Amino acid sequence: KAGVTQTPRYLIKTRGQQVTLSCSPISGHRSVSWYQQTPGQGLQFLFEYFSETQRNKGNFPGRFSGRQFSNSRSEMNVSTLELGDSALYLCATGLATSTGELFFGEGSRLTVL
Amino acid sequence: GNSVTQMEGPVTLSEEAFLTINCTYTATGYPSLFWYVQYPGEGLQLLLKATKADDKGSNKGFEATYRKETTSFHLEKGSVQVSDSAVYFCAGSYSGGGADGLTFGKGTHLIIQP
């Protein structure tokens, strides 16, 4: 079956702009989590959605937001971009987070100039 | 807060060598523990998991045992191959994976030379 699809794969923005990233989960997966991966901080949890509701949120500023649609597809948005937001943003989906069996997409690599 | 600590690489080994990548976790409750692997240009893939003390996860020749007494979940493989070259992440799922998502270690870059 199709895996987790993230779009776009690569994008370049400038400081102050905003960006929206998309994630289409594996069919049947209702949980969608987002992670930020950087060389310095590693993988950090952003937030998790389940059935269109944000269940959990990591320690990121309010500029980072997300939503989930009725078909379980999810988007995350970063407003007022900063240089430090340059990272690989990974989406992970699963049937339920409690097992931790997450399936990851290949990520969206954001570069902020 | 919760944390997972793993040895940082790169770790360079010759083909057929024995591999150990150390991982320890903070003992807040009883997390489920995982090893994920990230091959170049790809997303993370679940390699193995263990959900309670003394459980052993295994897959593709890799093994890890949930050690409560040492709060460890070390990854081992008896004979590595060039195709095992990747970044390996140890992770813990606290609060049933809910409140904090998965907590990841920093990752260990493994390089296997022929």
Side-chain angles (χ1 to χ4, degrees):
Chain A
K1 57 185 176 181
V4 178
T5 303
Q6 291 189 245
T7 56
R9 290 290 312 281
Y10 303 91
L11 66 166
I12 300 173
K13 294 285 187 178
T14 57
R15 280 181 296 175
Q17 287 187 311
Q18 65 97 26
V19 65
T20 299
L21 309 177
S22 178
C23 172
S24 293
I26 292 171
S27 178
H29 286 190
R30 295 165 63 191
S31 167
V32 177
S33 302
W34 289 89
Y35 290 82
Q36 182 194 64
Q37 186 178 20
T38 59
Q41 299 298 317
L43 278 155
Q44 294 185 287
F45 173 69
L46 281 157
F47 27 65
E48 185 234 343
Y49 288 86
F50 187 86
S51 294
E52 302 179 65
T53 301
Q54 185 182 86
R55 286 207 295 197
N56 305 295
K57 182 172 168 57
N59 188 26
F60 278 81
R63 300 185 297 107
F64 292 80
S65 63
R67 59 177 174 168
Q68 186 180 33
F69 302 95
S70 58
N71 61 358
S72 294
R73 189 177 71 85
S74 177
E75 291 181 345
M76 66 163 283
N77 184 279
V78 187
S79 62
T80 319
L81 285 166
E82 302 177 358
L83 295 178
D85 297 333
S86 295
L88 181 66
Y89 290 88
L90 292 167
C91 170
T93 79
L95 293 169
T97 59
S98 60
T99 65
E101 292 193 64
L102 300 180
F103 294 80
F104 283 79
E106 293 181 327
S108 293
R109 184 166 295 282
L110 170 65
T111 301
V112 181
L113 302 176
Chain B
N2 300 319
S3 67
V4 172
T5 304
Q6 63 182 105
M7 58 190 292
E8 296 189 30
V11 173
T12 303
L13 295 172
S14 298
E15 205 166 20
E16 299 183 3
F18 183 85
L19 168 71
T20 299
I21 300 178
N22 292 337
C23 171
T24 57
Y25 63 92
T26 53
T28 304
Y30 299 96
S32 294
L33 299 171
F34 309 86
W35 277 99
Y36 280 84
V37 58
Q38 185 175 32
Y39 297 103
E42 299 183 13
L44 278 71
Q45 302 174 24
L46 177 65
L47 182 59
L48 53 83
K49 70 171 185 176
T51 57
K52 61 183 187 297
D54 299 325
D55 265 4
K56 177 186 282 188
S58 61
N59 186 26
K60 298 181 181 180
F62 291 90
E63 292 184 342
T65 301
Y66 191 140
R67 302 284 188 199
K68 180 181 172 184
E69 62 277 10
T70 54
T71 63
S72 65
F73 192 56
H74 304 325
L75 182 68
E76 297 181 336
K77 186 174 185 181
S79 177
V80 293
Q81 306 299 314
V82 172
S83 58
D84 293 327
S85 298
V87 181
Y88 292 81
F89 292 91
C90 185
S93 176
Y94 295 83
S95 304
D100 301 316
L102 281 176
T103 300
F104 284 90
K106 289 290 181 74
T108 302
H109 186 193
L110 175 65
I111 301 169
I112 306 301
Q113 296 178 331

